[in-house]
Amino acid sequence: APAPKRRRFRWFRWLWRLTYLSAIAGTGYLAYGVYELRHPDDQVEPDPTKKNLVILGSGWGAVSLLKKLDTDLYNVTVISPRNYFLFTPLLPSCTTGTVEHRSIMEPIRSIIRHKKTAVKFYEAEATKIDPERKVVAINDNSDIKGEMNQTEVPYDMLVVSVGAENATFGIPGVREHSCFLKEIGDAQQIRKKIMDCVETATFKDQSPEEVDRLLHMVVVGGGPTGVEFAGELQDFFDQDIKKWVPEISDKFKVTLIEALPNVLPMFSKQLIDYTESTFKEEKITIKTKTMVKKVTDRTVEAEATGPDGKKTLEVLPYGLLVWATGNAVRPVVKDLMSQIPAQKDSRRGLAVNEYLVVQGTKDIWATGDCAVAGYAPTAQVASQEGAFLARLFNTMAKSEAIESQISTLSQSLNLQPGDAAAVSRDIETHEKQLRRIKDIKPFHYTHQGSLAYIGSERAVADVSWLNGNFATGGGLTYLFWRSAYLSMCFSTRNRVLVVLDWLKSKAFGRDVSRE
Ligand code: FAD
Ligand code: NAI
């Protein structure tokens, strides 16, 4: 009978229309995003009688706070030595040129220019916080300095969101000889050094031992930073370097060193095993139960613990060393902690209460990697904390405004007996409103899962779903990883640039020029 055929055809037509409409809607959304980015509305000048809210940092915690904060309610000042927000989850991809560094940076100037009421920004480092005098000492450490490059900024409310620095545990030689992977500059340095090692290894009459050393890429730390970097590096070699410099095909080697018995300790056992077996396939050597004790300009000295518990010293010559052993407290945070008796037992950062108030202080809050709230130092935690503070501060300002209205109304109660009833009703309405506004619950973190790229277009994901956990790894997870991070990028501009970079590196390969 012809009817089902026609129905099938109708379905196809509908599907076609739907695709067509989605394409139009998508293009419209993109065009609107671009238009909005380029044409911000005129801004209102801040009211000098409002409280000074000073935010230190321009990372995940600070920017997430800024995004949701009603800047009309305060005089907001942002201070950071970095005049951009960095989307760290794609930083390992910048070390090999899969993604270009500017694609994952969003200028802080653009972020604050899109707020309704203007926000001040000082490109400077906070060097000291004085909770007694309520001032922050700041220093312009950039290359170009004006006559004024050190000053103090007063605050009524302060948010410390300065992140963390790289942990080295005082191991000799680490700072002098290794690359870290935290900032854009680190990724650029690594990218340059990879190709420098390759070119130096192919220098005329280089000895075989020296070639082996130069092409040995050592990564210390089997957390997600180390694992993702090792995966990206091996991809770079397999997909590009090998093609252009075939003579080093069997000499390029990546080794990942981890002190614990396994890599990615925060992932489930199944995904740890999957990562380790994928690394084996990719020919990345993993050395677990191996703790680096010393670094020289050419070697890494590590203590390996065998299955019988016996310890042996291994000396590994390297060409490139990337150090990714986690976080340490920044000096400005350490200094603040030393001034507050309630912080004396805190080791990993500023201990905060359930409203993210720094314990032992009244007007200082902390978010992200510099705060100890009982969660892992991740972007997910920092951005949820930032958003929580924005809600809290919006509420606080609104409730203060209502409280002052109530007090004004209360004063007028004994003036006109006839008006008293109306004023009381007004007060009651305001009090109800106040109770509703003030009903702000303590900070609660919602874990959405952990994702990591492990190389050869595979990723692992521990996703929280319907009160359970869902662990998955492989090629489909890699597509999920890409779409999740793409949707989390800060702006439409970042999203478009990242997609173009992915297409570019797929079509033309990654660039092997050294600069
Ligand atoms: P940051 O984002 O580090 O921001 C700190 C800000 O403070 C910066 O702007 C800095 O310039 C500024 N600052 C520093 N010192 C001072 C000072 N003295 N005064 C004023 N400002 C100062 N987490 C995830 O959840 N998922 C991931 O996939 C993920 N991938 C990562 C990949 C890499 C390579 C790295 C390094 C980290 C990754 N993380 C990830 C962790 C995540 O980036 C951090 O947890 C997050 O950046 C913490 O946010 P924050 O705001 O505390 O600090
Ligand atoms: P990490 O703290 O997670 O891991 C560092 C690893 O280095 C540890 O496993 C530790 O045992 C090892 N280590 C320390 N000293 C060592 C030594 N001397 N020799 C050998 N190994 C040593 O640090 P990482 O990876 O930098 O991550 C920092 C934070 O950022 C974490 O909270 C992490 O979850 C988050 N992050 C999340 C990512 C993701 O979700 N995809 C990606 C990158 C970071």
Side-chain angles (χ1 to χ4, degrees):
K5 233 186 195 175
R6 227 181 283 139
R7 211 173 298 140
R8 224 179 297 149
F9 186 60
R10 226 182 290 149
W11 265 110
F12 177 74
R13 262 206 326 235
W14 273 110
L15 198 69
W16 167 243
R17 275 181 202 154
L18 204 68
T19 318
Y20 187 68
L21 283 176
S22 325
I24 292 178
T27 315
Y29 176 74
L30 194 72
Y32 175 72
V34 173
Y35 180 84
E36 208 203 27
L37 199 74
R38 297 291 309 272
H39 301 90
D41 292 335
D42 287 344
Q43 282 185 308
V44 178
E45 278 305 306
D47 173 355
T49 62
K50 292 197 170 146
K51 283 187 175 171
N52 285 328
L53 168 60
V54 174
I55 303 170
L56 303 182
S58 55
W60 280 95
V63 162
S64 150
L65 157 62
L66 208 50
K67 220 169 156 183
K68 295 234 155 67
L69 183 74
D70 181 351
T71 52
D72 210 19
L73 303 171
Y74 297 96
N75 276 309
V76 186
T77 305
V78 178
I79 298 166
S80 173
R82 204 170 79 185
N83 80 340
Y84 56 88
F85 165 74
L86 173 63
F87 185 74
T88 46
L90 290 178
L91 191 59
S93 304
C94 290
T95 58
T96 58
T98 313
V99 169
E100 292 297 336
H101 63 276
R102 287 203 178 261
S103 307
I104 58 166
M105 293 156 69
E106 184 67 19
I108 198 80
R109 292 288 175 185
S110 158
I111 299 172
I112 58 177
R113 183 61 188 81
H114 282 86
K115 297 304 292 182
K116 200 172 115 205
T117 303
V119 169
K120 274 198 214 91
F121 173 71
Y122 300 133
E123 191 192 64
E125 195 180 320
T127 49
K128 189 168 180 70
I129 298 164
D130 185 338
E132 287 294 312
R133 291 171 50 231
K134 295 180 95 172
V135 292
V136 181
I138 64 167
N139 209 343
D140 176 4
N141 283 337
S142 65
D143 289 345
I144 296 178
K145 291 183 186 59
E147 276 170 13
M148 174 62 109
N149 52 53
Q150 279 182 0
T151 187
E152 284 185 344
V153 178
Y155 66 82
D156 297 306
M157 293 160 76
L158 176 71
V159 179
V160 187
S161 199
V162 297
E165 58 177 33
N166 296 290
T168 62
F169 307 103
I171 297 171
V174 176
R175 285 215 181 272
E176 296 86 328
H177 307 297
S178 50
C179 298
F180 297 113
L181 184 49
K182 215 174 209 355
E183 299 290 343
I184 283 293
D186 300 334
Q188 285 173 307
Q189 192 190 14
I190 293 173
R191 189 171 173 184
K192 207 165 161 178
K193 278 200 171 180
I194 297 169
M195 284 320 295
D196 204 357
C197 285
V198 171
E199 298 300 356
T200 310
T202 53
F203 192 79
K204 187 170 179 293
D205 299 333
Q206 202 68 270
S207 72
E209 299 76 42
E210 189 63 346
V211 171
D212 286 345
R213 177 186 77 80
L214 287 162
L215 295 177
H216 188 200
M217 313 277 140
V218 174
V219 184
V220 182
T225 305
V227 166
E228 290 193 327
F229 170 66
E232 293 275 359
L233 181 56
Q234 190 66 39
D235 281 359
F236 187 26
F237 175 69
D238 288 337
Q239 296 164 10
D240 300 290
I241 300 179
K242 211 154 92 175
K243 240 181 249 167
W244 311 121
V245 199
E247 63 269 37
I248 61 162
S249 282
D250 53 347
K251 297 200 176 78
F252 192 92
K253 213 170 90 184
V254 180
T255 301
L256 179 67
I257 303 178
E258 168 55 53
L260 296 175
N262 55 264
V263 297
L264 294 182
M266 66 290 291
F267 281 81
S268 53
K269 171 86 178 74
Q270 170 198 348
L271 293 180
I272 291 172
D273 293 345
Y274 180 73
T275 305
E276 292 185 349
S277 70
T278 304
F279 269 24
K280 208 176 260 173
E281 266 175 50
E282 290 169 5
K283 304 210 168 49
I284 297 173
T285 310
I286 301 184
K287 284 180 179 288
T288 49
K289 293 193 185 166
T290 305
M291 175 158 321
V292 174
K293 299 271 178 175
K294 188 179 167 190
V295 170
T296 70
D297 60 343
R298 285 163 178 246
T299 60
V300 161
E301 294 176 20
E303 189 180 75
T305 310
D308 53 356
K310 237 169 114 185
K311 292 191 181 341
T312 49
L313 186 74
E314 289 188 20
V315 179
L316 304 164
Y318 71 85
L320 170 75
L321 174 64
V322 173
W323 192 266
T325 62
N327 294 343
V329 182
R330 284 200 192 277
V332 66
V333 173
K334 252 189 224 159
D335 177 75
L336 176 61
M337 287 162 70
S338 71
Q339 298 176 58
I340 306 167
Q343 296 285 332
K344 82 173 190 325
D345 295 327
S346 186
R347 295 278 164 272
R348 307 180 72 124
L350 291 161
V352 293
N353 72 10
E354 69 275 30
Y355 288 90
L356 308 181
V357 177
V358 172
Q359 284 181 2
T361 71
K362 264 204 332 261
D363 310 303
I364 308 179
W365 287 259
T367 69
D369 288 2
C370 66
V372 179
Y375 308 106
T378 65
Q380 250 187 93
V381 171
S383 68
Q384 289 184 31
E385 288 177 343
F388 168 82
L389 279 192
R391 281 198 305 277
L392 183 76
F393 292 168
N394 291 344
T395 307
M396 278 166 61
K398 280 179 197 149
S399 57
E400 271 167 30
I402 295 177
E403 268 163 359
S404 94
Q405 273 171 335
I406 293 176
S407 120
T408 319
L409 285 168
S410 309
Q411 280 160 21
S412 62
L413 255 181
N414 48 4
L415 291 178
Q416 293 281 338
D419 291 341
V423 174
S424 302
R425 269 200 307 279
D426 251 5
I427 291 179
E428 216 173 290
T429 318
H430 277 91
E431 276 175 348
K432 248 194 226 155
Q433 217 175 343
L434 191 63
R435 270 197 297 277
R436 226 177 307 129
I437 287 178
K438 272 194 165 171
D439 188 26
I440 189 147
K441 305 264 181 314
F443 173 69
H444 171 76
Y445 169 63
T446 314
H447 185 61
Q448 272 142 12
S450 307
L451 279 167
Y453 180 61
I454 57 170
S456 0
E457 307 200 338
R458 292 182 217 177
V460 287
D462 257 330
V463 186
S464 308
W465 200 349
L466 301 173
N467 293 336
N469 212 35
F470 177 65
T472 165
L476 274 180
T477 315
Y478 165 67
L479 294 180
F480 173 64
W481 174 85
R482 277 201 159 180
S483 47
Y485 282 167
L486 198 61
S487 72
M488 282 161 61
C489 279
F490 187 87
S491 65
T492 308
R493 188 187 71 94
N494 289 149
R495 256 170 241 130
V496 172
L497 292 180
V498 167
V499 169
L500 291 178
D501 288 345
W502 282 339
L503 291 173
K504 213 168 61 183
S505 56
K506 192 82 191 160
F508 302 111
R510 300 167 186 87
D511 190 347
V512 293
S513 319
R514 188 160 67 84
E515 276 307 323

